Each structure stands twice: as structure tokens, then as C-alpha cells.
Amino acid sequence: MTDDSIYRLKAGRCDLVVDAAHGASLTSFRWRKADGDWFEILHPCPPAQVALTGGSFVMVPFANRLDAGRFPSPDGPVEVPVNRPEQNMALHGFSRDRAWQVVAAAENALTLVDEFVHETIPFAYRLVQHVSVRPDAAELSLTLTNTADRTLPYGMGFHPWFRKDEDTWLSFAAATAFVRDERGLPTRPVPADGGPAFAEGLDTSKMPWFDGHFAGWVSRNAVVEWRRAGVSMRLSATGALTNLHVYVPDDRPILCVEPVSHVPDVHNRRDLADYGDLAWLAAGETIEGSMVMQLA
């Protein structure tokens, strides 16, 4: 630990840093290659900042976009702050912007808690994140409990910003992709094999800009290969994290491969609920999910 909020976890060839004060963000995840050199798995995260352009952050109580920051519910409309006003969107939930409490710390593991409550936001929840490393992998797990006095729809996800060098390949299999409108919101499902051929593997360093959501991610696995460096990572998900979101900008050396629990804005797009829905949790009910990054 280098200060009151920065924690470094080590095991074998893995080295990971968590900033508890800034969204419990991962600010670094490194892997020591067989030749002894360290390889940064994540794009760098600026010091003492939430991981909005590098590192990795948590998305709760919803992942990705929520149109106009509002949605209907049986108890009446629910509204949350719009944090991307230029698009009239609420984006990625609340926990990424908060300081978390560390409740347990060891050389290779860390447990953090976010007790969210706000006088103007109906959501209230307890979110526990356990981060651990072993000699060849890192695991991040979330346990989300509704602490509000009403039933509300909850979702979750992880938003890692992986490095993207020349010859950075991504492969995964999914059944369904989605047509998007001009603001990036899904409008209808389409077969995933009609788009980029991720099932066969693609060199993301040569792709044009891409931002897409996938359902029917049955294997819950995706593989990223940094072929020039001789490093491979298998990303896997469990629990509520049934879907995958992929973002490949063409102006930055990053690649986002995000395990999430629901379709973007499914709060307002109930016709897409069968492809990845929210969990309507009564007071005290819980959902869980985890992401593992296995290296070789």
C-alpha cells in the first residue's frame, strides 16, 4: 500500500493495483512474461482518477446507457442523474464515482464495499467487490444487495480498458448482436454472424471504430491475444454477467471487452428483455457476478 487508498496485490507473475478512493478502480494489471519483462494488460489509468480512459471500473446499478436517465416502474417513473448531458444519457451507474471502504486486505486479495444511498435517487444498495490475484490470473467478484425499501431493477458489469497494440486479436462466440440508433442505443436484435467475425478472431488494431452489444454469449469466454508480445488472456464471466459489450475505438490504443448483465437501456426497451434483462430485486435480495482474467 503506497497511500491510504492505493493497494497493490501480488501473486506469482501477476501484479494488480486498486484505487479504493476512486471507484475501487483497477489502475494497473501487469503480467511478467517468461523472459522476465512486465507486460501491462490494461491501458494505463491516470493517478488518482476514476478509470474512465484506462484501467477498469465497476458498473452498478446499471451498465452502459440509460436513455434520459429515467424509466417506468410499477411504482411510478424512476429518475437518476444524467451524467452525459450532450447525449441526454445516464451512463454506467454510480459506484464508479465513489470512494469505497476497504474491509479486508491481504497480499493477494482485497475486499471493498460501497454502501450507496442518496436522497434524490431511489436506488440504495450494498455492493461488495472482492479482488484477488493468483500466479496466473486475477478475479473480480461482485455481490449486490438491494437496501432500498422497494423493488427496483438492478444490473452490473465490469468495464476494463485493455491495451491495444498491433496484432491484438479478440475472439468470442455469441448468437445475437443489435442494430443501434444514432445515440448508440439498441433497436432490434440481429444474428451476430452478420457483423464482425469475432467467432473466427479479429485483429482489433486493424478494425474501424466499433461499439456493439452481444447476447447469447453461451460460453462466457473471450480471448485477447497480444501476438507480438506472446501474451494471451482468457476472460471469463459467471453469475449474472450473461452478456458481452465490445468497444474498439480507432483513435486510441484501447480495447474494451465488458461482461455485463443486461442489454443497454433494457429498462425502456422491454421488447429486448429476453436477450438480457435486469434483476428486479426486492428489499434484501441479491445478485452476484464475477470476471476472471487468466493469462498465459
Side-chain angles (χ1 to χ4, degrees):
M1 187 172 68
T2 57
D3 64 29
D4 289 342
S5 69
I6 306 298
Y7 291 79
R8 183 179 295 276
L9 308 182
K10 299 179 180 180
R13 296 161 65 183
C14 287
D15 181 289
L16 182 150
V17 179
V18 182
D19 186 345
H22 297 88
S25 297
L26 301 192
T27 62
S28 174
F29 179 36
R30 302 189 302 163
W31 163 251
R32 193 173 65 245
K33 300 190 299 179
D35 62 9
D37 288 343
W38 286 100
F39 183 81
E40 297 281 356
I41 300 298
L42 298 172
H43 186 71
C45 178
Q49 294 185 29
V50 175
L52 302 184
T53 59
S56 180
F57 66 83
V58 171
M59 298 180 282
V60 167
F62 54 88
N64 298 309
R65 298 167 174 85
L66 175 58
D67 192 10
R70 66 170 68 98
F71 59 90
S73 83
D75 298 322
V78 174
E79 295 192 12
V80 303
V82 169
N83 57 4
R84 185 169 282 184
E86 67 275 15
Q87 293 183 333
N88 194 25
M89 298 281 185
L91 200 66
H92 298 328
F94 317 128
S95 287
R96 69 172 188 172
D97 298 317
R98 292 168 52 81
W100 293 47
Q101 178 186 1
V102 174
V103 296
E107 182 179 7
N108 67 337
L110 187 67
T111 302
L112 310 100
V113 176
D114 180 23
E115 299 273 8
F116 181 86
V117 62
H118 192 283
E119 61 183 6
T120 66
I121 297 175
F123 287 99
Y125 56 84
R126 174 181 171 84
L127 178 60
V128 179
Q129 180 176 198
H130 184 69
V131 182
S132 63
V133 293
R134 50 184 186 262
D136 61 351
E139 180 172 1
L140 289 75
S141 64
L142 299 174
T143 302
L144 172 62
T145 303
N146 180 18
T147 58
D149 59 2
R150 58 183 282 193
T151 299
L152 286 163
Y154 284 86
M156 61 170 59
F158 291 102
H159 197 305
W161 305 82
F162 296 113
R163 70 183 291 169
K164 183 181 67 179
D165 305 326
E166 289 188 38
D167 276 337
T168 299
W169 288 69
L170 171 63
S171 59
F172 66 90
T176 302
F178 297 85
V179 175
R180 296 158 29 103
D181 66 17
E182 66 279 0
R183 293 190 301 153
L185 295 169
T187 59
R188 59 184 175 86
V190 293
D193 59 11
F198 287 114
E200 301 171 11
L202 287 176
D203 182 356
T204 61
S205 68
K206 293 181 172 59
M207 286 182 63
W209 181 94
F210 179 82
D211 189 5
H213 190 84
F214 295 89
W217 184 40
V218 176
S219 73
R220 307 276 197 103
N221 286 284
V223 174
V224 180
E225 299 173 273
W226 295 273
R227 293 188 176 180
R228 294 200 176 189
V231 176
S232 176
M233 179 195 68
R234 180 175 295 276
L235 182 149
S236 59
T238 68
L241 304 179
T242 58
N243 288 21
L244 194 67
H245 200 95
V246 175
Y247 174 48
V248 188
D250 57 8
D251 60 348
R252 285 177 286 167
I254 56 172
L255 164 65
C256 297
V257 186
E258 311 162 29
V260 297
S261 67
H262 62 88
V263 173
D265 198 40
V266 73
H267 309 67
N268 296 304
R269 298 163 191 267
R270 301 307 299 156
D271 57 318
L272 301 180
D274 288 345
Y275 298 94
D277 203 0
L278 300 150
W280 285 82
L281 301 181
E285 290 186 332
T286 294
I287 56 171
E288 299 179 345
S290 70
M291 174 178 72
V292 177
M293 296 176 283
Q294 177 92 36
L295 292 157

PDB file of all heavy atoms in Angstrom, residues 35-50:
ATOM      1  N   ASP A  35      10.238 -14.130 -20.242  1.00  0.00           N
ATOM      2  CA  ASP A  35      11.564 -13.527 -20.357  1.00  0.00           C
ATOM      3  C   ASP A  35      11.872 -12.559 -19.217  1.00  0.00           C
ATOM      4  O   ASP A  35      12.933 -11.940 -19.187  1.00  0.00           O
ATOM      5  CB  ASP A  35      11.726 -12.822 -21.706  1.00  0.00           C
ATOM      6  CG  ASP A  35      10.742 -11.660 -21.898  1.00  0.00           C
ATOM      7  OD1 ASP A  35      10.049 -11.281 -20.929  1.00  0.00           O
ATOM      8  OD2 ASP A  35      10.673 -11.126 -23.021  1.00  0.00           O
ATOM      9  N   GLY A  36      10.911 -12.407 -18.286  1.00  0.00           N
ATOM     10  CA  GLY A  36      11.120 -11.540 -17.130  1.00  0.00           C
ATOM     11  C   GLY A  36      10.594 -10.133 -17.285  1.00  0.00           C
ATOM     12  O   GLY A  36      10.514  -9.389 -16.295  1.00  0.00           O
ATOM     13  N   ASP A  37      10.231  -9.730 -18.489  1.00  0.00           N
ATOM     14  CA  ASP A  37       9.699  -8.379 -18.713  1.00  0.00           C
ATOM     15  C   ASP A  37       8.242  -8.298 -18.274  1.00  0.00           C
ATOM     16  O   ASP A  37       7.462  -9.248 -18.451  1.00  0.00           O
ATOM     17  CB  ASP A  37       9.792  -7.999 -20.189  1.00  0.00           C
ATOM     18  CG  ASP A  37      11.214  -7.733 -20.637  1.00  0.00           C
ATOM     19  OD1 ASP A  37      12.074  -7.516 -19.748  1.00  0.00           O
ATOM     20  OD2 ASP A  37      11.454  -7.751 -21.862  1.00  0.00           O
ATOM     21  N   TRP A  38       7.864  -7.130 -17.720  1.00  0.00           N
ATOM     22  CA  TRP A  38       6.475  -6.901 -17.340  1.00  0.00           C
ATOM     23  C   TRP A  38       5.681  -6.422 -18.540  1.00  0.00           C
ATOM     24  O   TRP A  38       6.147  -5.589 -19.324  1.00  0.00           O
ATOM     25  CB  TRP A  38       6.383  -5.868 -16.225  1.00  0.00           C
ATOM     26  CG  TRP A  38       6.812  -6.377 -14.892  1.00  0.00           C
ATOM     27  CD1 TRP A  38       8.017  -6.175 -14.274  1.00  0.00           C
ATOM     28  CD2 TRP A  38       6.038  -7.187 -14.005  1.00  0.00           C
ATOM     29  NE1 TRP A  38       8.046  -6.812 -13.061  1.00  0.00           N
ATOM     30  CE2 TRP A  38       6.840  -7.445 -12.868  1.00  0.00           C
ATOM     31  CE3 TRP A  38       4.757  -7.735 -14.048  1.00  0.00           C
ATOM     32  CZ2 TRP A  38       6.399  -8.199 -11.785  1.00  0.00           C
ATOM     33  CZ3 TRP A  38       4.306  -8.494 -12.989  1.00  0.00           C
ATOM     34  CH2 TRP A  38       5.121  -8.723 -11.873  1.00  0.00           C
ATOM     35  N   PHE A  39       4.454  -6.949 -18.669  1.00  0.00           N
ATOM     36  CA  PHE A  39       3.553  -6.575 -19.758  1.00  0.00           C
ATOM     37  C   PHE A  39       2.272  -6.016 -19.146  1.00  0.00           C
ATOM     38  O   PHE A  39       1.608  -6.692 -18.345  1.00  0.00           O
ATOM     39  CB  PHE A  39       3.232  -7.795 -20.624  1.00  0.00           C
ATOM     40  CG  PHE A  39       2.362  -7.494 -21.820  1.00  0.00           C
ATOM     41  CD1 PHE A  39       2.913  -6.966 -22.973  1.00  0.00           C
ATOM     42  CD2 PHE A  39       0.987  -7.741 -21.782  1.00  0.00           C
ATOM     43  CE1 PHE A  39       2.118  -6.689 -24.076  1.00  0.00           C
ATOM     44  CE2 PHE A  39       0.193  -7.468 -22.885  1.00  0.00           C
ATOM     45  CZ  PHE A  39       0.760  -6.944 -24.041  1.00  0.00           C
ATOM     46  N   GLU A  40       1.932  -4.781 -19.500  1.00  0.00           N
ATOM     47  CA  GLU A  40       0.716  -4.144 -18.990  1.00  0.00           C
ATOM     48  C   GLU A  40      -0.496  -4.689 -19.751  1.00  0.00           C
ATOM     49  O   GLU A  40      -0.625  -4.487 -20.956  1.00  0.00           O
ATOM     50  CB  GLU A  40       0.794  -2.632 -19.154  1.00  0.00           C
ATOM     51  CG  GLU A  40       1.907  -1.965 -18.362  1.00  0.00           C
ATOM     52  CD  GLU A  40       1.553  -1.785 -16.893  1.00  0.00           C
ATOM     53  OE1 GLU A  40       0.416  -2.105 -16.503  1.00  0.00           O
ATOM     54  OE2 GLU A  40       2.444  -1.335 -16.141  1.00  0.00           O
ATOM     55  N   ILE A  41      -1.396  -5.347 -19.029  1.00  0.00           N
ATOM     56  CA  ILE A  41      -2.603  -5.890 -19.643  1.00  0.00           C
ATOM     57  C   ILE A  41      -3.626  -4.790 -19.912  1.00  0.00           C
ATOM     58  O   ILE A  41      -4.293  -4.765 -20.949  1.00  0.00           O
ATOM     59  CB  ILE A  41      -3.220  -6.971 -18.736  1.00  0.00           C
ATOM     60  CG1 ILE A  41      -2.224  -8.118 -18.513  1.00  0.00           C
ATOM     61  CG2 ILE A  41      -4.534  -7.485 -19.304  1.00  0.00           C
ATOM     62  CD1 ILE A  41      -1.816  -8.842 -19.758  1.00  0.00           C
ATOM     63  N   LEU A  42      -3.758  -3.863 -18.962  1.00  0.00           N
ATOM     64  CA  LEU A  42      -4.704  -2.755 -19.079  1.00  0.00           C
ATOM     65  C   LEU A  42      -4.011  -1.512 -19.622  1.00  0.00           C
ATOM     66  O   LEU A  42      -2.834  -1.276 -19.348  1.00  0.00           O
ATOM     67  CB  LEU A  42      -5.312  -2.431 -17.717  1.00  0.00           C
ATOM     68  CG  LEU A  42      -6.133  -3.535 -17.054  1.00  0.00           C
ATOM     69  CD1 LEU A  42      -6.495  -3.138 -15.627  1.00  0.00           C
ATOM     70  CD2 LEU A  42      -7.400  -3.834 -17.859  1.00  0.00           C
ATOM     71  N   HIS A  43      -4.759  -0.721 -20.380  1.00  0.00           N
ATOM     72  CA  HIS A  43      -4.265   0.596 -20.760  1.00  0.00           C
ATOM     73  C   HIS A  43      -4.081   1.418 -19.486  1.00  0.00           C
ATOM     74  O   HIS A  43      -4.870   1.325 -18.556  1.00  0.00           O
ATOM     75  CB  HIS A  43      -5.271   1.269 -21.693  1.00  0.00           C
ATOM     76  CG  HIS A  43      -4.799   2.559 -22.260  1.00  0.00           C
ATOM     77  ND1 HIS A  43      -3.806   2.651 -23.200  1.00  0.00           N
ATOM     78  CD2 HIS A  43      -5.192   3.834 -22.007  1.00  0.00           C
ATOM     79  CE1 HIS A  43      -3.608   3.915 -23.519  1.00  0.00           C
ATOM     80  NE2 HIS A  43      -4.429   4.661 -22.802  1.00  0.00           N
ATOM     81  N   PRO A  44      -3.031   2.257 -19.404  1.00  0.00           N
ATOM     82  CA  PRO A  44      -2.764   2.980 -18.159  1.00  0.00           C
ATOM     83  C   PRO A  44      -3.932   3.857 -17.707  1.00  0.00           C
ATOM     84  O   PRO A  44      -4.609   4.481 -18.520  1.00  0.00           O
ATOM     85  CB  PRO A  44      -1.545   3.838 -18.515  1.00  0.00           C
ATOM     86  CG  PRO A  44      -0.888   3.132 -19.648  1.00  0.00           C
ATOM     87  CD  PRO A  44      -1.999   2.493 -20.421  1.00  0.00           C
ATOM     88  N   CYS A  45      -4.150   3.887 -16.404  1.00  0.00           N
ATOM     89  CA  CYS A  45      -5.141   4.763 -15.790  1.00  0.00           C
ATOM     90  C   CYS A  45      -4.400   5.905 -15.103  1.00  0.00           C
ATOM     91  O   CYS A  45      -3.479   5.653 -14.324  1.00  0.00           O
ATOM     92  CB  CYS A  45      -5.972   3.989 -14.768  1.00  0.00           C
ATOM     93  SG  CYS A  45      -7.188   5.005 -13.893  1.00  0.00           S
ATOM     94  N   PRO A  46      -4.765   7.142 -15.370  1.00  0.00           N
ATOM     95  CA  PRO A  46      -4.074   8.260 -14.705  1.00  0.00           C
ATOM     96  C   PRO A  46      -4.174   8.152 -13.190  1.00  0.00           C
ATOM     97  O   PRO A  46      -5.169   7.662 -12.660  1.00  0.00           O
ATOM     98  CB  PRO A  46      -4.827   9.494 -15.215  1.00  0.00           C
ATOM     99  CG  PRO A  46      -5.466   9.053 -16.488  1.00  0.00           C
ATOM    100  CD  PRO A  46      -5.810   7.607 -16.292  1.00  0.00           C
ATOM    101  N   PRO A  47      -3.150   8.601 -12.461  1.00  0.00           N
ATOM    102  CA  PRO A  47      -3.179   8.503 -10.991  1.00  0.00           C
ATOM    103  C   PRO A  47      -4.343   9.266 -10.385  1.00  0.00           C
ATOM    104  O   PRO A  47      -4.722  10.338 -10.866  1.00  0.00           O
ATOM    105  CB  PRO A  47      -1.848   9.144 -10.584  1.00  0.00           C
ATOM    106  CG  PRO A  47      -0.990   9.115 -11.791  1.00  0.00           C
ATOM    107  CD  PRO A  47      -1.907   9.183 -12.968  1.00  0.00           C
ATOM    108  N   ALA A  48      -4.927   8.676  -9.334  1.00  0.00           N
ATOM    109  CA  ALA A  48      -5.987   9.330  -8.551  1.00  0.00           C
ATOM    110  C   ALA A  48      -7.162   9.785  -9.408  1.00  0.00           C
ATOM    111  O   ALA A  48      -7.770  10.826  -9.164  1.00  0.00           O
ATOM    112  CB  ALA A  48      -5.421  10.501  -7.761  1.00  0.00           C
ATOM    113  N   GLN A  49      -7.511   8.993 -10.418  1.00  0.00           N
ATOM    114  CA  GLN A  49      -8.684   9.260 -11.240  1.00  0.00           C
ATOM    115  C   GLN A  49      -9.495   7.982 -11.408  1.00  0.00           C
ATOM    116  O   GLN A  49      -8.936   6.884 -11.426  1.00  0.00           O
ATOM    117  CB  GLN A  49      -8.292   9.789 -12.623  1.00  0.00           C
ATOM    118  CG  GLN A  49      -7.632  11.150 -12.620  1.00  0.00           C
ATOM    119  CD  GLN A  49      -7.397  11.660 -14.035  1.00  0.00           C
ATOM    120  OE1 GLN A  49      -8.138  11.322 -14.969  1.00  0.00           O
ATOM    121  NE2 GLN A  49      -6.372  12.474 -14.204  1.00  0.00           N
ATOM    122  N   VAL A  50     -10.802   8.151 -11.530  1.00  0.00           N
ATOM    123  CA  VAL A  50     -11.641   7.009 -11.884  1.00  0.00           C
ATOM    124  C   VAL A  50     -11.214   6.497 -13.257  1.00  0.00           C
ATOM    125  O   VAL A  50     -10.796   7.267 -14.124  1.00  0.00           O
ATOM    126  CB  VAL A  50     -13.125   7.438 -11.896  1.00  0.00           C
ATOM    127  CG1 VAL A  50     -14.015   6.308 -12.389  1.00  0.00           C
ATOM    128  CG2 VAL A  50     -13.554   7.878 -10.499  1.00  0.00           C
TER     129      VAL A  50
END
